[in-house]
Amino acid sequence: MRNLKSFSIVLLILFSFNQGISQTSKIDVSKSIIKWEGKKITGQHEGTINFKDGYLIFKDKKVTGGSFTADMKSLSNTDQTGSSKTKLEGHLRSEDFFSIENFPTSTLVFKSIASKGNNTYLINADLTIKGITNPIQFDLVVSPNKATAELTVNRTKYDIKYGSGSYFDDLGDKTIYDDFELNVVLVY
C-alpha cells in the first residue's frame, strides 16, 4: 500500500510537470506548401513556393508560437507551361518583383496569438519579404498534424511596385493589383 501511494505521488508530480511544457513541432517541408495567386485587370496567375523550414509551438495542445522560412528560389508558376511559364517565373524572380538572387528567403514569425475557438487562432506576425518586415494578421486553423491559413499581402509594402496602379499612371489593362493571396498548408 505504501509503495502504491509513493508511485501515485510520483505520477502526480510527473503529470504536473508535463502540463505547461511547450512542444515544438517541425513542419514536414516535403508536404507543406504555399500556394500563391496574383491578379491583374486581364486575369490572374498562380503557383507555389516551398518551405525551407518551420515549426509550430504548442502548449497544452494550443498554438503558442511559430516561425517559417520560405525558399523563394522554389517559386514556380503552375497555370502556364513552356516559354510563358519560364518568362513569368523569370520576371517574378527579377528585381521588378522578389529579387530572389538578393533575397533567397522570406520569413514569417508569430508575434501574438489569440484563440477564436474551434481550433482557430488569430495570428499577428511579422512577414519579411526582400528584407522588409511588416506586420500581418490572419487566421490559422489547426487540425491533427496539419494547419492552414489564408493571407492577403500588399506587395507594395515590400517595395514590389512593378505594374501597380497605386504608383504608376496610364497602365490600363497592364495594371497588376497590389494584393496577392497566399494559401498555406503546414503539415507537421
Side-chain angles (χ1 to χ4, degrees):
M1 184 71 152
R2 187 174 197 191
N3 285 342
L4 185 58
K5 278 186 175 179
S6 297
F7 181 71
S8 297
I9 291 172
V10 169
L11 281 178
L12 182 61
I13 290 170
L14 287 174
F15 182 74
S16 297
F17 281 124
N18 282 333
Q19 300 290 62
I21 292 178
S22 293
Q23 175 189 346
T24 300
S25 296
K26 290 184 72 161
I27 64 167
D28 182 337
V29 295
S30 68
K31 294 179 182 174
S32 300
I33 193 77
I34 303 165
K35 294 180 181 178
W36 60 265
E37 181 179 88
K39 296 180 180 178
K40 55 186 180 175
I41 287 181
T42 57
Q44 66 187 44
H45 291 294
E46 57 191 43
T48 60
I49 302 170
N50 296 330
F51 283 99
K52 188 172 183 177
D53 59 41
Y55 59 86
L56 285 169
I57 301 172
F58 294 89
K59 184 174 181 180
D60 299 328
K61 298 184 180 182
K62 296 186 186 302
V63 176
T64 60
S67 180
F68 308 92
T69 303
D71 178 6
M72 296 304 292
K73 288 185 176 186
S74 71
L75 183 144
S76 69
N77 167 244
T78 57
D79 67 287
Q80 295 181 310
T81 58
S83 63
S84 297
K85 172 184 172 70
T86 303
K87 183 178 176 183
L88 178 59
E89 288 175 352
H91 198 198
L92 291 173
R93 291 178 174 146
S94 77
E95 302 268 338
D96 284 344
F97 286 92
F98 295 99
S99 189
I100 290 173
E101 283 303 312
N102 297 318
F103 303 99
T105 60
S106 293
T107 60
L108 179 79
V109 179
F110 291 5
K111 291 301 183 185
S112 68
I113 301 160
S115 177
K116 295 176 78 173
N118 296 327
N119 295 318
T120 302
Y121 299 86
L122 177 63
I123 307 294
N124 286 292
D126 283 343
L127 177 62
T128 303
I129 300 173
K130 290 179 65 174
I132 301 167
T133 302
N134 285 293
I136 191 164
Q137 187 177 74
F138 58 92
D139 285 349
L140 179 75
V141 179
V142 179
S143 58
N145 301 317
K146 182 175 155 184
T148 59
E150 294 180 5
L151 293 74
T152 300
V153 180
N154 181 330
R155 65 189 176 95
T156 63
K157 291 182 176 182
Y158 302 92
D159 196 32
I160 304 170
K161 298 175 184 167
Y162 181 88
S164 169
S166 300
Y167 289 88
F168 302 100
D169 295 328
D170 301 324
L171 291 171
D173 65 0
K174 302 224 186 275
T175 300
I176 301 168
Y177 296 121
D178 292 345
D179 289 344
F180 65 91
E181 305 295 323
L182 299 176
N183 290 302
V184 181
V185 177
L186 306 170
V187 178
Y188 52 92

